[in-house]
Amino acid sequence: MRDISELPSSKKRVRGRFGVEWFLGRRPTEINARDVELPKPAFDPKPYRLAYSKYPGVASGLGAEYFYREGQRSPLSYYHMRSPASGDTVMVGATDGRAREARTIDNYVKEKTRGFAVQIVLEGRGVKAYFEPKFPQLMVRLGVGAKVRDLSQYCKRDPDVEVSVSNKGDVVVVRGPTKARVGTLAYRLLKQMQPRLLPYTGKGAHFAFHPAKRKAMRKK
């Protein structure tokens, strides 16, 4: 696509323009609003640029089995440094940014430092979760006059995964050491908190930032 300033009509002095062109000159008329994807620059394989990403020393637990594994499209460079100035630091280098900032490294660091958490949001009139009287006796009510469901068995399945409820009873938080264990328990709790009419009424539970798609009510 040529720039608007390179067109012959832009270089000529033409009179008789109106509107915005009279003040600011000609402007490009081609837009990319309807394109499925924005145009990408051409791939230039050379020269390769080696860059590094900094991680805590805990990332060294992945070991050579991960950093020096076979079949890598962008081989990794790994340095583990321990000094009073920089502390315990791991530097991971690669020519591809996605390889040195892989989700595997990020998940491993989170598992060893802070763990993972999932929020289940309860919406609708009369929808509430609470402990009766305390953990792990988790009770959930899915509406006014609805039968209370006892979900205590799910809170006892994994001893390392913690389930907590907000003061209002509209948010259930599941915390644990690994993403797999937290996700498994959170998904099972979500299925017990979702009624069948959730897509139509919006009443029930959903993961935070992932609300259920609403459907139009059927007219009789």
Side-chain angles (χ1 to χ4, degrees):
M1 182 182 299
R2 298 174 61 184
D3 189 16
I4 194 68
S5 60
E6 299 177 359
L7 298 178
S9 58
S10 299
K11 299 178 181 180
K12 296 180 181 179
R13 293 184 178 181
V14 182
R15 298 179 180 179
R17 294 176 179 169
F18 301 93
V20 180
E21 292 187 356
W22 191 81
F23 293 98
L24 304 175
R26 295 193 60 190
R27 291 187 175 184
T29 57
E30 295 84 358
I31 61 174
N32 55 12
R34 295 188 177 183
D35 294 349
V36 179
E37 293 183 357
L38 295 177
K40 300 179 180 179
F43 175 69
D44 186 12
K46 296 181 181 180
Y48 293 108
R49 296 182 179 179
L50 182 63
Y52 288 87
S53 297
K54 185 178 180 181
Y55 292 95
V58 185
S60 61
L62 288 171
E65 296 180 357
Y66 174 78
F67 293 108
Y68 299 114
R69 65 188 186 278
E70 297 181 357
Q72 298 185 64
R73 187 173 181 180
S74 298
L76 297 175
S77 298
Y78 167 78
Y79 297 95
H80 190 184
M81 300 179 294
R82 293 178 179 176
S83 66
S86 62
D88 192 2
T89 307
V90 170
M91 303 296 293
V92 180
T95 56
D96 188 2
R98 294 174 295 181
R100 64 176 178 267
E101 297 178 1
R103 192 172 297 178
T104 303
I105 306 176
D106 187 48
N107 288 344
Y108 185 83
V109 172
K110 290 180 180 178
E111 288 179 4
K112 298 300 181 179
T113 54
R114 65 180 186 182
F116 294 88
V118 175
Q119 289 183 343
I120 304 177
V121 182
L122 302 175
E123 292 185 358
R125 182 170 174 264
V127 181
K128 184 178 181 181
Y130 56 94
F131 289 119
E132 183 65 37
K134 59 181 181 179
F135 180 85
Q137 282 75 28
L138 178 62
M139 305 295 175
V140 177
R141 186 180 62 206
L142 299 179
V144 178
K147 186 177 179 181
V148 178
R149 296 187 180 184
D150 187 2
L151 304 182
S152 303
Q153 57 173 333
Y154 296 95
C155 299
K156 302 176 183 178
R157 291 190 175 183
D158 197 332
D160 295 331
V161 178
E162 178 187 354
V163 180
S164 59
V165 181
S166 63
N167 294 332
K168 293 183 179 180
D170 57 350
V171 178
V172 178
V173 183
V174 183
R175 299 185 182 89
T178 64
K179 182 182 289 187
R181 295 165 69 178
V182 171
T184 301
L185 182 57
Y187 184 76
R188 292 178 178 177
L189 287 174
L190 180 69
K191 284 301 179 182
Q192 297 296 326
M193 300 178 186
Q194 280 184 337
R196 294 184 179 180
L197 297 178
L198 175 64
Y200 295 96
T201 61
K203 180 185 294 187
H206 63 83
F207 286 128
F209 308 108
H210 293 81
K213 294 182 179 180
R214 299 292 296 272
K215 295 182 179 179
M217 295 294 293
R218 296 178 181 178
K219 298 181 180 179
K220 296 182 180 180

